[in-house]
Amino acid sequence: MSTIKDVAALAGVSPSTVSRTLSNRVFVEEVTRQKVLKAVEELHYQPSLVAKGLREGRTYTLAFLVPDIDSLFYPIIMKRIEHYASLKGYNVILCNNNNSLEQEKSNLEMLGARGIDGILCMTVSDDFAHIVNFQQKTHVPVILVNRFLGHTLSSVGIDNEYGGYLAVKYLLDHGHRKIACIFGEYVQSRSRERCQGCKRALDEYGITDYKRNFIYDVDTTEEAYQRTKDLMKMDDPPTAIFTSMDILAIGVYRALNEMSLLVPEDVSVISFDNIFMARFISPPLTTYDAAVNQVAETCIDRLLAQIDGDTEVYNDVFQGKIVERESVRMLEKNDN
């Protein structure tokens, strides 16, 4: 295994010059920098993160706390965060909170004791008091992911209201007027925000009798399956269904299939998240893509800036777009 002295000898510079070049924090002449980088490549030199961390007082390790690893959305953003962090020279520890606030608090205590450099947190609930207390006590930088707390903690996330609005507007623009909306746990701000977006779209079209078709606190595929059956047994059932998470749409598909109803010929379906399964179910699901790449990269950039001493509080919100597939059809006026 090559050492920093080997790199220095091959490049014809001192070991301290190699160290300065690789740190990217001190100016080094371009000719010298290129010599060092060429030697690093030829020798396949890997700097010791342990030694680097000891010198700079860092572990070069971040943590990402998620509510429940069983969700199909969280692995998407986890993968992007881990990839982008690695490009910046950081490892990421994943902490699964099992939808437990107590587990989340316990994981934070553990991470604080380990001297972690920074934390990305997708909280279990909208109760952020323990997060604020943790940061004030430990001074470990924390970025909330897809959770928002005003000017107390920095956050990066999805524009949930806009996503709900755009999805239902898409149905309305395709001629649908009898639209059902199925939302996740309503105590979560993201569900409420997506609901507000749905309402805004319906209000713009002058549709006011939608409350009977709004279903709340549906968190599993099984629940979505059963509630869809209930919806379609109603007098004058909906011609289209929006679900606030793609995983719920899978339950909707199953229920419609068992009732011999076709998507989109009989019922159109649109959803939110754009998980990888959305393009593989039949027919492929039209859904709102939540700009996960932008969210993941900004999370890392903001967190590393805090680690470097930035004390500004940021609230970054990204708008996504509708990914058109095959689950929504255009209705004629006499179809409603």
Side-chain angles (χ1 to χ4, degrees):
M1 182 180 292
S2 300
T3 68
I4 194 170
K5 290 182 179 180
D6 297 327
V7 174
L10 182 59
V13 299
S14 68
S16 61
T17 298
V18 175
S19 180
R20 289 197 301 273
T21 301
L22 297 180
S23 74
N24 255 343
R25 295 176 181 275
V26 180
F27 175 76
V28 176
E29 290 287 348
E30 184 61 23
V31 173
T32 302
R33 193 175 78 87
Q34 290 302 326
K35 287 181 180 179
V36 171
L37 294 179
K38 183 179 179 182
V40 166
E41 184 177 357
E42 287 184 15
L43 294 172
H44 304 289
Y45 173 67
Q46 294 290 330
S48 168
L49 287 180
V50 173
K52 186 179 181 186
L54 288 172
R55 288 195 304 271
E56 300 181 7
R58 298 185 183 184
T59 62
Y60 285 89
T61 304
L62 310 175
F64 184 30
L65 279 70
V66 297
D68 188 354
I69 196 66
D70 284 342
S71 166
L72 293 181
F73 175 71
Y74 299 143
I76 298 173
I77 194 166
M78 282 186 285
K79 184 176 181 179
R80 308 290 168 79
I81 282 174
E82 186 175 34
H83 172 70
Y84 195 63
S86 70
L87 296 178
K88 300 289 186 175
Y90 281 79
N91 295 313
V92 180
I93 295 174
L94 172 65
C95 295
N96 180 26
N97 292 325
N98 291 309
N99 276 325
S100 164
L101 185 60
E102 291 308 311
Q103 182 66 49
E104 184 172 281
K105 292 177 180 179
S106 176
N107 280 334
L108 281 172
E109 291 180 10
M110 176 271 294
L111 293 169
R114 288 189 59 165
I116 208 86
D117 289 341
I119 295 173
L120 300 171
C121 188
M122 193 174 276
T123 56
V124 168
S125 73
D126 290 345
D127 177 4
F128 301 119
H130 60 294
I131 307 287
V132 176
N133 291 337
F134 170 82
Q135 188 175 49
Q136 291 174 345
K137 178 182 176 181
T138 65
H139 304 291
V140 175
V142 177
I143 301 287
L144 297 177
V145 184
N146 209 28
R147 312 285 191 266
F148 301 97
L149 189 61
H151 301 291
T152 307
L153 290 173
S154 287
S155 58
V156 181
I158 301 160
D159 192 333
N160 290 297
E161 194 274 348
Y162 178 75
Y165 168 80
L166 207 62
V168 170
K169 185 177 184 300
Y170 184 88
L171 294 175
L172 291 162
D173 289 343
H174 279 70
H176 296 274
R177 295 297 179 267
K178 293 182 290 187
I179 299 171
C181 297
I182 301 175
F183 303 100
E185 193 173 2
Y186 206 65
V187 296
Q188 301 286 356
S189 59
R190 59 189 178 276
S191 292
R192 297 195 301 272
E193 291 161 4
R194 293 172 193 184
C195 179
Q196 289 301 317
C198 295
K199 290 179 179 178
R200 176 159 70 95
L202 291 164
D203 288 341
E204 284 185 4
Y205 276 73
I207 298 171
T208 57
D209 59 342
Y210 51 77
K211 289 185 178 180
R212 76 186 187 107
N213 288 334
F214 272 34
I215 299 174
Y216 307 98
D217 298 320
V218 179
D219 274 339
T220 66
T221 306
E222 290 79 9
E223 288 178 275
Y225 161 82
Q226 190 56 59
R227 300 307 292 271
T228 299
K229 284 200 163 186
D230 295 339
L231 273 171
M232 301 314 298
K233 290 175 183 176
M234 294 169 46
D235 293 335
D236 198 21
T239 64
I241 298 173
F242 163 76
T243 63
S244 67
M245 297 178 285
D246 285 350
I247 191 67
L248 302 182
I250 295 172
V252 172
Y253 269 47
R254 176 65 183 271
L256 295 174
N257 180 63
E258 288 188 3
M259 300 177 80
S260 298
L261 296 170
L262 299 177
V263 178
E265 290 84 352
D266 299 313
V267 183
S268 291
V269 181
I270 195 169
S271 192
F272 195 116
D273 280 337
N274 195 27
I275 63 175
F276 75 96
M277 287 181 62
R279 62 184 182 274
F280 294 113
I281 59 177
S282 182
L285 178 65
T286 296
T287 184
Y288 178 76
D289 185 281
V292 170
N293 280 339
Q294 289 176 285
V295 171
E297 292 183 9
T298 305
C299 281
I300 295 298
D301 287 340
R302 293 297 192 203
L303 187 57
L304 298 188
Q306 281 197 20
I307 292 170
D308 285 335
D310 187 0
T311 58
E312 191 73 27
V313 175
Y314 300 93
N315 291 284
D316 299 291
V317 181
F318 293 97
Q319 293 184 342
K321 61 183 180 181
I322 297 295
V323 177
E324 293 184 284
R325 294 194 177 102
E326 301 170 26
S327 62
V328 176
R329 80 176 181 98
M330 181 70 73
L331 287 191
E332 302 298 332
K333 289 184 179 180
N334 59 356
D335 287 332
N336 265 296

